[in-house]
Amino acid sequence: MAVSLFPLPAPTCFLSFCFVVMSCILLSPEIVTPSNAGIVRQYTFNVQLKNVTRLCHTKTIVTINGKYPGPRVIAREGDNLLIKVVNNVSNNITIHWHGIRQIQSGWADGPSYVTQCPIQTGQSYVYNYTIINQRGTLWWHAHISWLRATVYGPLIILPKKNVPYPFPKPHKEVPIMFGEWWNEDPEAVISQALQTGGGPNVSEAYTINGLPGPLYNCSVKDTFKLKVKPGKTYMLRIINAALNDDLFFTIANHSLTVVEADAVYVKPFKTDVLFITPGQTTNVLLKTKHNFPAKSRFIMAGSPYFTGSGTFDNTTFAGILEYENPNSPVSASSSFSNTTFKSLQFPTLPLINATSVVANFSSKFRSLANSQFPANVPKTVDKKFFFTVGLGTNPCPKNQTCQGPTNRTKFAASVNNISFAMPTTALLQSYFFGKSNGVFTADFPSAPLMPFNYTGTPPNNTNVANGTKLVVVKFNTTIEVVMQDTSIISAESHPLHLHGFNFYVVGQGFGNFDPKNDPAKFNLVDPVERNTVGVPSGGWVAIRFQADNPGVWFMHCHFDVHLSWGLRMAWIVLDGKLPNQKLFPPPADLPKC
């Protein structure tokens, strides 16, 4: 059955040779493809342990092919990817291809216990999918527990051969991944937090491409440096892979032009400060100064955005933008030191709780909405949903002291007050083979069962319900979801990611959503198309999409602590009538639970 899914022939080269070649390809349109139809690209991901040192602390981490961050996956729109993941560690693992639509290939999506059971020690699984009508910057990461702290990497989709960008071709393209460094084992951190019911410990540092940079102790040598030439345009493919933090980012004395969001082109706009939630990607153009500047180094810096309660990594991270002197063959980077860094001008970053900056930045995103890249936002809606998203509590077990908001409670999180309980067998398997009994129920509420003043005074009872409830919709149903933040425990932003779909962000605002007046303000002309959107702190966001992809699709907060606490749910999209509207059968090597 797997052969019938993707009948394209595999290249004759060996897997290892293909991987080396692809790993060495620069991000430019010169990847060799025989035609616009796409080709088969094969990768091998060996999940293995690696000793890595940061902040003068050496620890053993889980990696892909011994790399931290992991290797780039590079393909073109229309290509078929065969990525064999071989698990050589004691942890179970899955890999999610964040933002890939997975048309009819939901078995390759990757969230553990949703579309597959985990790949166990000594086992392997081939993720087999075709990139259909997508191009731009996405990423891949582990999708089980907190393993994505170290298991992540860029997924670059170039346009089809001879198809240009809708903006001038950049001189060079550079992936920039924001992440976090933990001296502790993140798996132990979340395990302890779930046992005690309290908030988890936070990371020691933020990173740029795995490097903490000069603002942290013992880290000057681990500083990301972006070397540029005067008078050139660089495209920075920026990805927020941090576990639990929204981030601001800026470069001293330089502006950025945003041209893409979540692998969808947008109307270009300039900004001095970028805001990006975990899970999101943003392509920006950096135009360097026309002549070699007197000061050849500039600080690039980032910091968190946070409005909730509890602890978080309240540090600032930095890298260096360094001009290469065209008149000097010797790079100045060899003389870089702490003293040199302190002599540089530090850029201005927003305040930690700068919600107005976030709202203003988010409002600037617009789809191109032209004949080549239309905005196919649903003008009419078949089904409307209203989801409250936020924190809550679970009772503390008897004879136990917990570390939640009170010593009698544990932290929890929910959608419509349902804290999603993960099953022990994959939802997609259960649905496909008609064995859902005892695994899940199809009665997820379309609105809160007990309405309240969502952003006002919280209700006295903050306990959530627990269950594995899903929403079932017919193929091609047009859907509108309003996601409302709540002030229970605290108002906080929530980056919500929907697997298997892009959606249009048609409206957003602060306070409680007004179903009578707010829809009249929706943008149905050129709304931005995304796969991850930040629900405003103390506010709401409205999205629309067409359920044109059969399968089971996870929707969850991309703060991993909130995901672990239950801020997640899932959709079942039924098969359509035509062959291209039906989920493919599972591959023979699908991992078993």
Side-chain angles (χ1 to χ4, degrees):
M1 291 181 181
V3 174
S4 67
L5 307 192
F6 303 98
L8 293 172
T12 56
C13 59
F14 292 107
L15 269 179
S16 58
F17 175 73
C18 290
F19 181 80
V20 171
V21 170
M22 287 300 299
S23 297
C24 295
I25 291 175
L26 297 176
L27 297 186
S28 65
E30 279 72 42
I31 294 178
V32 177
T33 56
S35 70
N36 271 358
I39 65 170
V40 176
R41 298 189 184 273
Q42 302 188 47
Y43 287 80
T44 297
F45 274 23
N46 283 303
V47 186
Q48 59 191 64
L49 299 178
K50 175 81 172 181
N51 287 337
V52 175
T53 301
R54 298 288 187 271
L55 311 180
C56 285
H57 181 90
T58 300
K59 60 180 287 192
T60 303
I61 64 173
V62 179
T63 69
I64 300 297
N65 299 339
K67 295 185 176 182
Y68 168 69
R72 301 178 192 177
V73 172
I74 306 176
R76 283 196 185 278
E77 178 185 349
D79 286 351
N80 171 211
L81 289 177
L82 300 174
I83 304 177
K84 183 177 183 180
V85 177
V86 183
N87 189 3
N88 302 298
V89 301
S90 60
N91 308 75
N92 291 344
I93 197 162
T94 66
I95 302 292
H96 170 51
W97 316 96
H98 186 111
I100 294 291
R101 287 290 316 276
Q102 300 291 359
I103 304 295
Q104 298 180 270
S105 58
W107 308 102
D109 191 41
S112 60
Y113 300 107
V114 178
T115 59
Q116 68 168 98
C117 298
I119 306 168
Q120 300 179 29
T121 305
Q123 296 182 350
S124 66
Y125 179 47
V126 177
Y127 290 92
N128 186 339
Y129 58 90
T130 296
I131 300 168
I132 300 173
N133 197 30
Q134 290 185 276
R135 81 294 302 166
T137 301
L138 295 173
W139 62 302
W140 58 265
H141 59 81
H143 210 302
I144 183 169
S145 191
W146 280 21
L147 280 182
R148 79 172 178 91
T150 58
V151 180
Y152 63 87
L155 173 51
I156 309 301
I157 308 170
L158 299 171
K160 289 184 177 180
K161 193 74 171 174
N162 300 320
V163 176
Y165 296 129
F167 44 82
K169 178 182 175 182
H171 171 69
K172 190 178 181 182
E173 304 176 25
V174 184
I176 293 182
M177 301 198 76
F178 301 142
E180 293 161 307
W181 173 259
W182 303 71
N183 282 343
E184 292 184 71
D185 177 7
E187 292 294 277
V189 170
I190 184 57
S191 177
Q192 180 185 33
L194 292 176
Q195 288 177 7
T196 64
N201 292 338
V202 300
S203 59
E204 272 67 40
Y206 296 110
T207 59
I208 305 178
N209 289 353
L211 302 173
L215 293 177
Y216 299 102
N217 290 334
C218 191
S219 195
V220 173
K221 63 181 178 57
D222 292 324
T223 297
F224 174 74
K225 301 182 186 70
L226 175 59
K227 294 186 178 181
V228 297
K229 296 180 180 179
K232 301 291 185 182
T233 298
Y234 294 79
M235 184 160 75
L236 310 183
R237 297 178 177 268
I238 298 177
I239 302 164
N240 187 352
L243 284 188
N244 295 311
D245 297 279
D246 295 325
L247 295 172
F248 295 113
F249 178 72
T250 187
I251 302 177
N253 300 115
H254 291 74
S255 64
L256 303 170
T257 300
V258 177
V259 294
E260 182 190 296
D262 289 357
V264 180
Y265 300 130
V266 298
K267 289 183 173 73
F269 66 90
K270 284 192 174 182
T271 184
D272 293 328
V273 177
L274 179 76
F275 171 75
I276 186 167
T277 75
Q280 288 184 336
T281 65
T282 308
N283 283 5
V284 299
L285 300 181
L286 167 67
K287 178 74 173 179
T288 59
K289 298 180 183 300
H290 185 68
N291 298 310
F292 183 73
K295 291 186 177 180
S296 62
R297 294 192 185 99
F298 299 87
I299 295 175
M300 53 176 67
S303 61
Y305 163 68
F306 184 76
T307 62
S309 60
T311 57
F312 66 103
D313 187 348
N314 186 14
T315 61
T316 301
F317 61 98
I320 298 295
L321 177 72
E322 181 174 289
Y323 280 76
E324 295 180 298
N325 189 341
N327 301 316
S328 173
V330 179
S331 171
S333 61
S334 58
S335 61
F336 182 74
S337 65
N338 239 332
T339 303
T340 305
F341 178 78
K342 291 177 180 178
S343 69
L344 303 178
Q345 177 185 348
F346 203 89
T348 301
L349 284 161
L351 297 175
I352 285 172
N353 60 350
T355 297
S356 61
V357 174
V358 172
N360 181 57
F361 179 80
S362 301
S363 69
K364 294 179 180 179
F365 285 86
R366 293 286 187 272
S367 291
L368 287 181
N370 58 27
S371 57
Q372 186 179 5
F373 303 104
N376 295 317
V377 56
K379 300 298 193 297
T380 59
V381 174
D382 298 322
K383 289 206 169 190
K384 292 186 177 182
F385 297 86
F386 182 80
F387 289 173
T388 56
V389 294
L391 303 186
T393 58
N394 271 322
C396 188
K398 290 183 179 180
N399 303 319
Q400 181 178 332
T401 300
C402 293
Q403 297 175 7
T406 71
N407 62 9
R408 301 300 307 157
T409 62
K410 288 184 164 191
F411 276 110
S414 67
V415 182
N416 279 352
N417 207 47
I418 305 294
S419 187
F420 193 85
M422 294 303 294
T424 55
T425 188
L427 295 172
L428 184 58
Q429 248 175 296
S430 304
Y431 157 68
F432 187 84
F433 293 108
K435 297 181 179 180
S436 62
N437 189 30
V439 179
F440 67 86
T441 56
D443 57 348
F444 189 88
S446 60
L449 299 179
M450 298 182 64
F452 61 99
N453 183 2
Y454 307 114
T455 55
T457 303
N460 292 329
N461 183 2
T462 61
N463 285 347
V464 301
N466 298 279
T468 310
K469 300 175 181 290
L470 278 66
V471 172
V472 179
V473 295
K474 293 180 180 179
F475 184 85
N476 261 348
T477 300
T478 53
I479 293 171
E480 177 182 290
V481 185
V482 174
M483 292 178 285
Q484 172 75 59
D485 182 36
T486 72
S487 57
I488 299 176
I489 309 302
S490 63
E492 190 171 351
S493 66
H494 298 279
L496 264 292
H497 172 49
L498 175 60
H499 291 229
F501 296 93
N502 283 351
F503 51 75
Y504 290 94
V505 183
V506 296
Q508 56 187 336
F510 291 106
N512 295 337
F513 174 73
D514 182 345
K516 292 184 178 179
N517 297 313
D518 285 331
K521 307 170 192 173
F522 284 177
N523 176 11
L524 302 181
V525 177
D526 61 351
V528 67
E529 184 180 353
R530 309 203 71 133
N531 63 59
T532 305
V533 66
V535 179
S537 176
W540 56 270
V541 64
I543 66 172
R544 288 186 180 184
F545 65 98
Q546 186 169 11
D548 58 357
N549 193 8
V552 178
W553 305 108
F554 210 24
M555 186 172 182
H556 62 89
C557 184
H558 227 278
F559 290 151
D560 271 22
V561 60
H562 293 174
L563 172 64
S564 299
W565 284 340
L567 209 167
R568 53 203 179 191
M569 55 84 65
W571 304 78
I572 294 178
V573 178
L574 301 177
D575 281 347
K577 295 180 180 179
L578 302 177
N580 65 350
Q581 298 173 344
K582 298 181 186 297
L583 177 68
F584 289 131
D589 64 339
L590 186 70
K592 306 295 189 295
C593 286

